[in-house]
Amino acid sequence: MTGVESPAYVPGHGLLSGRTAVVTAAAGAGIGGATARRFLEEGARVLISDAHARRLKEYEAELAGEFGADAVGAVPCDVTDEGQVRTLFDTAVREHGRLDIVVNNAGLGGTAELVDMTDEQWARVLDVTLNGTFRCTRAALRLFHASPDGGVIVNNASVVGWRAQAGQAHYAAAKAGVMALTRCAAIEAAAYGVRVNAVSPSLAMHPHLVKVTSPELLGELTAREAFGRYAEPWEVANVIVFLASGYSSYMTGEIVSVSSQHA
């Protein structure tokens, strides 16, 4: 059985016009980079961040060439460093006067059987993927609580937060934690007009994933998808746009699966 071809790219419809957004881990061809581009296509001003300063600068230049220097900015940020997180959010407010949307995309994976996993491997994945989301969510909420307009947070989780996969105990635990953090933060923030939701992708292909995943595993994961193909990163970004826009105004604390995996 052959896979279904990827659909045509969906043009922007101005869903985020006048909004200002921060997108973490947005340097490159993955979900974060696709989300930054989709937000710009929907009319938002976007501040991208990433721990890889060189790639971040290159992607900022690429986006600025397409959408204009006023529409996009960049701040290097390692989400495991509280000082850098504060600088990122302070910069967003200082340069744009407001912040409306935060996309917590930063995460770190890896493959290791639990019996062989080191404390360092476990701690590093948890610190980037779960603790980093916590730090950025906390920074966003402190700003949104003080804003009469509230705000929106969209976190990037994963289907492995629900489903077992060998070699992924650290990543699965971190993503399950992101889901629980999303639900709890949503309840706490609702009184301030803030919505917090998450996407849960299964398999979105990008160059970095190819580098760190064996062809055999990628083939196995692709075979689990009903469409017989992986998702394009922009297909996940489309759902993030929906959750960031007014079309999802009554949704909070939800984890939206972006997957065609068989049950």
Side-chain angles (χ1 to χ4, degrees):
M1 176 180 174
T2 59
V4 177
E5 291 186 2
S6 298
Y9 195 80
V10 180
H13 291 79
L15 298 181
L16 304 177
S17 294
R19 313 287 290 281
T20 296
V22 163
V23 183
T24 66
I31 293 171
T35 298
R37 178 178 295 279
R38 293 265 40 182
F39 275 28
L40 288 163
E41 291 169 346
E42 295 292 349
R45 294 173 296 180
V46 180
L47 185 65
I48 58 175
S49 78
D50 202 284
H52 301 278
R54 178 187 58 81
R55 295 208 316 251
L56 180 68
K57 187 174 182 63
E58 291 172 352
Y59 196 51
E60 177 192 19
E62 179 183 333
L63 293 176
E66 294 182 46
F67 299 97
D70 292 339
V72 61
V75 175
C77 180
D78 179 346
V79 297
T80 69
D81 186 313
E82 174 64 13
Q84 293 187 40
V85 170
R86 289 186 181 183
T87 297
L88 170 63
F89 284 83
D90 287 347
T91 301
V93 174
R94 183 177 67 251
E95 293 189 354
H96 298 292
R98 61 182 294 150
L99 181 61
D100 304 290
I101 304 162
V102 172
V103 178
N104 288 315
N105 175 66
L108 179 67
T111 301
E113 294 290 329
L114 191 59
V115 69
D116 298 318
M117 190 178 295
T118 66
D119 285 3
E120 290 74 20
Q121 286 175 305
W122 175 271
R124 179 62 178 165
V125 169
L126 267 289
D127 199 19
V128 174
T129 307
L130 178 56
N131 297 345
T133 300
F134 155 70
R135 293 183 188 100
C136 292
T137 298
R138 178 175 61 187
L141 289 178
R142 286 171 173 169
L143 293 175
F144 292 159
H145 282 192
S147 169
D149 300 319
V152 178
I153 299 171
V154 184
N155 297 324
N156 192 1
S158 169
V159 294
V160 298
W162 287 316
R163 304 169 188 172
Q165 185 175 319
Q168 296 294 308
H170 47 1
Y171 188 67
K175 289 301 190 179
V178 168
M179 294 177 179
L181 172 65
T182 297
R183 289 188 288 263
C184 292
I187 295 302
E188 294 181 9
Y192 297 90
V194 178
R195 297 190 297 109
V196 188
N197 293 292
V199 293
S200 180
S202 53
L203 182 62
M205 189 61 67
H206 54 86
H208 179 68
L209 182 62
V210 173
K211 291 179 182 178
V212 301
T213 310
S214 70
E216 292 77 18
L217 180 56
L218 286 176
E220 177 187 336
L221 295 175
T222 301
R224 296 181 187 177
E225 302 291 331
F227 291 136
R229 68 171 179 88
Y230 49 77
E232 300 292 343
W234 61 263
E235 292 182 284
V236 181
N238 284 347
V239 183
I240 295 174
V241 167
F242 164 71
L243 291 174
S245 77
Y247 279 114
S248 60
S249 59
Y250 200 66
M251 292 177 63
T252 197
E254 295 296 329
I255 317 299
V256 181
S257 178
V258 189
S259 169
S260 71
Q261 275 193 3
H262 299 285

